[in-house]
Amino acid sequence: MKLQYLLFALFTVFVIQVQANGGYDDYEQWEHNFPDTCQELFKTEHCNECQSLMWNHFKNPGQCATAFNLGRDIFEIIKDSGEEPKPYDLTFFKKGLNKYCHEEFHCSQDKVEKIYNNIQKVCKHELSVKFDWSDNPENFKNITAYAAYGTLLTYYTGIPAREALCTKNKHNNGDFYSFEFIEKLTQWVKNETNADPKAVVTHDLKFVIKGNGKKVRVPKSFFCDPCWRKIAHIYGDYIKDHRLKKSVEKNIWGSCHDLEKLYLPHCTYKRGLGEILKDRSDSKLSERNANPAFGVLSHRMNKLHSLAI
Ligand SMILES: *[C@@H]1O[C@H](CO)[C@@H](O)[C@H](O)[C@H]1NC(C)=O
Ligand SMILES: *[C@@H]1O[C@H](CO)[C@@H](O)[C@H](O)[C@H]1NC(C)=O
């Protein structure tokens, strides 16, 4: 039986993917038949340097690989439960997050910087491939290039992602900000798509794509949500302090400025009405033609990793 109907929510960099169908359709197949060589994974006769480097990171991710490690914890909890996750049910995500945040985390800036700089160097060609991050992730056909972005971002955001995922909101029963936000977003997707189990959220968090291919815009007011802003600032500050190569940054989210405009817009707050986005920044944003993605790592990448270890 295929695990078709699964909601899998994964924080990736800035991008939170609330996937009704977590791409688990081929999960079981992978579980029984996971590639045990780099060549098999990338379906090639000879792995190039970048593919070999990624393969090594999948096999031996270390603690800096926050998104991989969270994904592994969620996957293990699903496996141990023996249950099939239901669409739009965040139970497993919540348990996995709890488990992950109680584990130790040792990752120094020095160490992680060496790792991500090396990925930028070794995977230079792969990281020059341009993707439209508003597209359905199914359409990213160059798996090597796609995996290169995912691996780079996993390490690059290892330190801020840990903090963003695991910071608790003292004002609200001490739940994680990350969980509160993802819960709201999930509810919205569920309602908006009539609980379509095939709905996917694009990597740039701009759209939900329904099973029938129809795209629905994620309201920008989500970027004014206090929980979102809390976590977005953690990433934003890190990204400003620790820069990637210009060309790579450009392929991922345009400039730092674009990134902030989209994910940390100016918001005004009105009592009783919740948070309202300022119209000015809103209309400008819709004119953008670049498609920034705060993050790229997908459930697909995560699956690769969870099963590789
Ligand atoms: C993926 O991109 C790399 C880097 O540009 C290129 O060498 C490779 O041929 C591409 N692979 C596919 C399947 O298009
Ligand atoms: C749920 O979705 C419907 C139709 O897309 C919309 O009209 C309605 O306002 C939504 N309700 C909530 C609470 O978001």
Side-chain angles (χ1 to χ4, degrees):
M1 166 126 191
K2 285 186 168 189
L3 298 183
Q4 289 279 19
Y5 302 107
L6 170 70
L7 172 85
F8 184 59
L10 168 66
F11 248 86
T12 68
V13 198
F14 237 171
V15 171
I16 300 152
Q17 292 192 54
V18 184
Q19 310 294 26
N21 164 8
Y24 278 69
D25 4 339
D26 51 351
Y27 218 94
E28 286 211 330
Q29 181 199 327
W30 282 67
E31 195 176 355
H32 296 127
N33 203 9
F34 188 79
D36 38 33
T37 62
C38 179
Q39 289 88 329
E40 208 182 318
L41 176 63
F42 290 108
K43 298 192 173 60
T44 174
E45 299 222 323
H46 174 77
C47 273
N48 68 21
E49 239 194 309
C50 175
Q51 289 167 329
S52 303
L53 177 68
M54 289 192 277
W55 176 252
N56 290 336
H57 281 308
F58 292 159
K59 281 293 199 191
N60 192 3
Q63 290 199 358
C64 292
T66 299
F68 285 165
N69 294 331
L70 170 65
R72 178 205 56 211
D73 285 350
I74 296 171
F75 180 65
E76 278 172 1
I77 284 181
I78 294 173
K79 231 170 35 179
D80 290 349
S81 77
E83 284 171 43
E84 199 173 313
K86 294 185 279 295
Y88 301 100
D89 177 358
L90 290 172
T91 312
F92 292 116
F93 175 76
K94 187 164 198 180
K95 285 185 181 164
L97 182 63
N98 249 313
K99 179 167 187 244
Y100 174 72
C101 291
H102 282 97
E103 285 161 11
E104 290 189 26
F105 180 70
H106 299 289
C107 172
S108 67
Q109 180 57 33
D110 250 18
K111 182 174 165 187
V112 77
E113 206 168 303
K114 281 203 187 84
I115 298 174
Y116 68 69
N117 282 338
N118 191 43
I119 298 171
Q120 290 191 96
K121 196 174 96 205
V122 174
C123 298
K124 195 171 72 195
H125 295 300
E126 288 74 8
L127 295 172
S128 69
V129 174
K130 291 183 172 58
F131 289 110
D132 175 357
W133 303 115
S134 293
D135 201 354
N136 191 327
E138 289 291 306
N139 296 338
F140 299 146
K141 298 294 185 207
N142 192 327
I143 296 300
T144 302
Y146 183 54
Y149 282 106
T151 309
L152 172 69
L153 285 168
T154 296
Y155 287 97
Y156 177 56
T157 64
I159 291 175
R162 166 75 183 200
E163 190 187 344
L165 283 165
C166 299
T167 301
K168 286 183 171 173
N169 184 354
K170 292 187 192 72
H171 303 297
N172 187 8
N173 302 321
D175 229 336
F176 296 112
Y177 284 108
S178 57
F179 185 76
E180 273 182 55
F181 179 76
I182 208 162
E183 204 173 29
K184 281 182 216 170
L185 186 61
T186 303
Q187 279 309 315
W188 177 82
V189 174
K190 184 177 179 182
N191 175 57
E192 197 63 34
T193 67
N194 285 320
D196 183 346
K198 290 212 154 46
V200 295
V201 178
T202 60
H203 284 314
D204 58 9
L205 202 57
K206 280 187 183 170
F207 300 98
V208 171
I209 304 175
K210 298 189 196 181
N212 64 10
K214 196 165 175 290
K215 270 188 170 182
V216 181
R217 219 172 217 290
V218 174
K220 297 204 189 79
S221 58
F222 272 108
F223 302 126
C224 289
D225 177 90
C227 293
W228 167 263
R229 294 184 78 79
K230 178 85 188 170
I231 51 188
H233 274 295
I234 297 172
Y235 286 107
D237 291 347
Y238 185 88
I239 288 168
K240 276 187 285 186
D241 286 349
H242 308 279
R243 307 296 297 268
L244 289 173
K245 268 169 60 179
K246 274 235 160 56
S247 59
V248 174
E249 237 176 34
K250 192 154 179 287
N251 288 344
I252 299 174
W253 49 64
S255 68
C256 270
H257 183 66
D258 294 337
L259 183 93
E260 280 204 313
K261 252 182 22 187
L262 182 63
Y263 297 104
L264 281 167
H266 292 292
C267 300
T268 47
Y269 297 86
K270 283 196 184 151
R271 208 173 291 164
L273 286 172
E275 311 80 25
I276 304 171
L277 197 72
K278 273 187 188 161
D279 279 337
R280 197 162 43 91
S281 53
D282 202 21
S283 55
K284 260 199 215 132
L285 280 171
S286 51
E287 304 305 321
R288 290 180 47 81
N289 43 23
N291 287 303
F294 249 51
V296 185
L297 188 90
S298 75
H299 52 278
R300 210 150 110 201
M301 279 290 305
N302 221 312
K303 179 168 58 183
L304 278 181
H305 172 261
S306 312
L307 295 167
I309 48 175

